[in-house]
Every structure is written in C-alpha cells, then in structure tokens.
Amino acid sequence: MSGRRLPTIEPSSIKNKAKREEVFLKQKHEKAKAKAQRRKEQKKEEAENPELREARLRENVPVTQETTREYDEAVVAADDGEVAKEEEEDEFAQYFSGKAPKVLITTTPNASRRTVSFVKELVSVIPNLEYIKRGKKFALQQIIQFCKNREYTDLIVVTEDHKEPTHVTIVHLPSGPTAHFRLTRIKGGKDISGHGRATSHSPELILNQFTTRLGHTVGRMFAALFPQVPEFQGRQAVTFHNQRDFIFFRRHRYVFRSGKRVDLQEIGPRFTLRLRWLQKGLYDPVDGEYEWMYKADLETSRRRVFL
C-alpha cells in the first residue's frame, strides 16, 4: 500500500473556496517544479549529445497561422527562375542596379498638424524625399504630371480623415504601378520610450515575408524608395515586416554593447499598412486597370494571405 500513488484531487471537486485555492496553487507549483526538472535533465542530455537538440528542434515545429497557411500557387519559390527573369526587366529593376530614387511626398489640401508631423517623420526615414505642401486647386493627376516633368521617380500621398492620417498612396513614376494602403497604429518617434535620434545616413532595408507574386511587387515598390547602397556607419535599419497581409514598419539603430552583444534601439516612427488595391499604370480612378483589390469576401479563412 505504501508504494501506491494517491489519486490526484481535482480542485473543482472541493466545495470550500479557501481549500480549493490552496490545493490548486500547490498542484500548480508541483507541475512547474517537475517541468523545470525535466528541462534541466534535457539540457544536460543535449549538452552531452548535441544531435538530440537538433532532432528536437527539427520535430518541434510550432503550429501558427504562418506555418499552417493555405497553399497558394502564387507563392514564389526561392529558385523560381521565371520570376527572377521578370524582375530583372520590370519597372523597378534599374533601382537595384544603381539608380538613385528621387521621391516627392505630399498630403491632402489643408492637412492637419498630425498628418504633417507624420509626413515630416517619413522625410527623415527615406533619403532623397522632398515634402511639398499641397494647394487646394491641384488634383492628383496634376501632381503626377508635375512629378514626371521634374523627373521624380515616386510620389507618396498621405490622406486623412477627421484630421488623422488614414491612407497612403504610392505612385511609381513614370508609368506605374500605383498602390493604395490603409494606414493605422501610428506612433511617432518622440512617443516611443527610449527612442534613438535619427541621422542622415541611408538605412539598411529589410523586407520580411513578401512571398507571393503580389507580395514581390509590393516589396520591390517599397525597396525602390530607398537607395540600394546603405551607409553602414549610421547603423540604421528600416524594416517592412509582412504578417497575414499587415505590413509593420519599424526603424531601429543597432548598438554594439560589447564584442559579442548587439542591442536594438528603436528610432521611430512605427505604423501599420494594409494594401487596399494595386493598380497597373498611373493613378486613374475612372479607367484604371486593377491588378488586385481588397474585398471582404476574399477573407474566407484566417490562414489565407495574399502578400
């Protein structure tokens, strides 16, 4: 009888509240203690035999929405020669072979202070970006022609609603494409705790998880805004991270604390973009041909993504 284990008591079966809580906390502590012991033993075994750790990491793949995403034939394989050939000849190719971008940014007429502040932060992010205040009488098509005449390579327009910036339109010149994004979750650099101070150096550019044909187009459109020769002495990195079609923007400076340790200090701003439509050619709200447009009925599953 002394060798038999006593049955585990279910806390939910105990009517007294104080006793029920005491038993629950005791069982929780015992489970955590056993788990820590197992991990300690596992760490010792893997230190003696590194192959055990490699096998565990190979088999222990976490189940996430990214790893269980629906199959999409538009996903581009790393060795897809056809796509690589097309990208060597597309409208962005020359910016990956040395051509410096020249970008203009503007807003809606009579933009609010918050929108102008956001635009000025973008000016500090993208080199060769020029801000021009928009007059009431200039339509977007007139601004596009203005940019083409002065050899700008891209036009960015930030629009607002109720004095808050809500959308970003990027027009690649001289012949498109045009992308329109929903803009949310804006946080200025001064509002970020422990933020760093930006310098005028060209940043390194990081594009994460733009895996489909549409995602490649959007990612290359972002990349064409930046010079492809980063100035590493500035230690600045700009990231566009795509996760379930939400594009998270961050800007960091990496700081060398010692010979082995590197920390990241966020500079700001931070914001989130979501593609609403991509139009072939220049912006044309009447006769423009849409390559892709967001519709609510496209969201048949949380595991279906388009970028």
Side-chain angles (χ1 to χ4, degrees):
M1 292 290 291
S2 59
R4 292 179 60 187
R5 292 183 60 185
L6 294 175
T8 303
I9 300 175
E10 290 292 336
S12 59
S13 64
I14 301 174
K15 294 183 178 181
N16 184 282
K17 181 179 178 181
K19 186 65 176 178
R20 182 170 66 244
E21 185 175 354
E22 178 187 345
V23 171
F24 170 76
L25 293 175
K26 185 178 180 181
Q27 290 182 357
K28 184 178 179 180
H29 175 72
E30 290 174 351
K31 287 179 182 179
K33 187 176 179 180
K35 185 177 180 180
Q37 182 63 28
R38 287 197 306 271
R39 288 190 170 183
K40 185 177 179 181
E41 294 172 358
Q42 184 183 58
K43 185 177 181 179
K44 184 178 179 181
E45 293 173 358
E46 291 178 350
E48 297 173 355
N49 186 2
E51 293 181 359
L52 292 176
R53 184 174 186 275
E54 293 176 4
R56 176 175 62 84
L57 294 178
R58 189 167 52 249
E59 296 173 1
N60 187 22
V61 180
V63 178
T64 64
Q65 290 185 355
E66 295 293 335
T67 58
T68 59
R69 61 183 290 180
E70 293 181 1
Y71 171 76
D72 189 346
E73 59 183 12
V75 172
V76 179
D79 57 350
D80 194 324
E82 180 182 350
V83 174
K85 183 67 175 176
E86 289 179 3
E87 291 180 350
E88 289 176 1
E89 302 171 353
D90 68 5
E91 53 275 303
F92 307 112
Q94 56 188 329
Y95 302 97
F96 291 88
S97 57
K99 183 177 179 179
K102 180 183 176 184
V103 189
L104 183 142
I105 187 168
T106 189
T107 63
T108 49
N110 297 325
S112 66
R113 182 181 300 177
R114 183 168 174 80
T115 300
V116 172
S117 175
F118 173 70
V119 166
K120 288 181 177 179
E121 288 213 69
L122 289 184
V123 170
S124 73
V125 173
I126 304 174
N128 305 325
L129 178 61
E130 180 183 358
Y131 168 53
I132 297 181
K133 186 177 180 180
R134 182 174 173 180
K136 292 182 178 180
K137 61 181 180 180
F138 293 106
L140 186 52
Q141 285 84 352
Q142 292 176 295
I143 299 173
I144 291 173
Q145 190 60 48
F146 170 90
C147 293
K148 289 174 66 177
N149 294 340
R150 287 157 181 77
E151 297 184 346
Y152 285 96
T153 61
D154 292 273
L155 169 65
I156 303 174
V157 182
V158 179
T159 54
E160 63 177 28
D161 186 24
H162 292 85
K163 297 186 178 182
E164 292 287 336
T166 56
H167 292 87
V168 173
T169 304
I170 302 176
V171 184
H172 185 68
L173 303 170
S175 56
T178 303
H180 184 67
F181 300 89
R182 172 72 173 167
L183 174 64
T184 56
R185 298 183 178 272
I186 302 171
K187 194 168 188 178
K190 293 182 179 179
D191 299 324
I192 298 173
S193 177
H195 68 89
R197 182 173 296 179
T199 64
S200 59
H201 296 91
S202 295
E204 300 173 56
L205 182 63
I206 301 171
L207 300 171
N208 283 338
Q209 297 186 176
F210 293 90
T211 56
T212 65
R213 298 289 291 268
L214 177 64
H216 271 230
T217 301
V218 173
R220 287 172 69 80
M221 178 175 275
F222 288 138
L225 299 173
F226 294 82
Q228 298 304 305
V229 185
E231 297 172 343
F232 295 105
Q233 61 268 34
R235 296 178 286 110
Q236 295 183 136
V238 167
T239 303
F240 291 90
H241 176 76
N242 173 46
Q243 186 170 351
R244 301 199 313 273
D245 295 337
F246 290 91
I247 303 169
F248 300 94
F249 175 90
R250 298 291 186 272
R251 178 170 55 156
H252 294 89
R253 173 181 290 112
Y254 45 92
V255 182
F256 296 100
R257 301 295 186 190
S258 63
K260 295 182 179 179
R261 178 181 170 186
V262 179
D263 290 344
L264 289 178
Q265 180 185 31
E266 189 169 359
I267 299 174
R270 65 170 68 161
F271 54 88
T272 304
L273 298 172
R274 193 171 192 191
L275 182 65
R276 309 309 289 179
W277 49 258
L278 179 69
Q279 194 177 78
K280 293 182 179 180
L282 298 177
Y283 174 75
D284 187 345
V286 179
D287 300 319
E289 179 183 356
Y290 289 91
E291 185 174 336
W292 185 86
M293 177 178 285
Y294 170 81
K295 295 180 181 178
D297 56 7
L298 291 175
E299 294 187 339
T300 57
S301 169
R302 289 178 63 86
R303 293 182 174 85
R304 185 183 182 191
V305 296
F306 300 97
L307 298 181

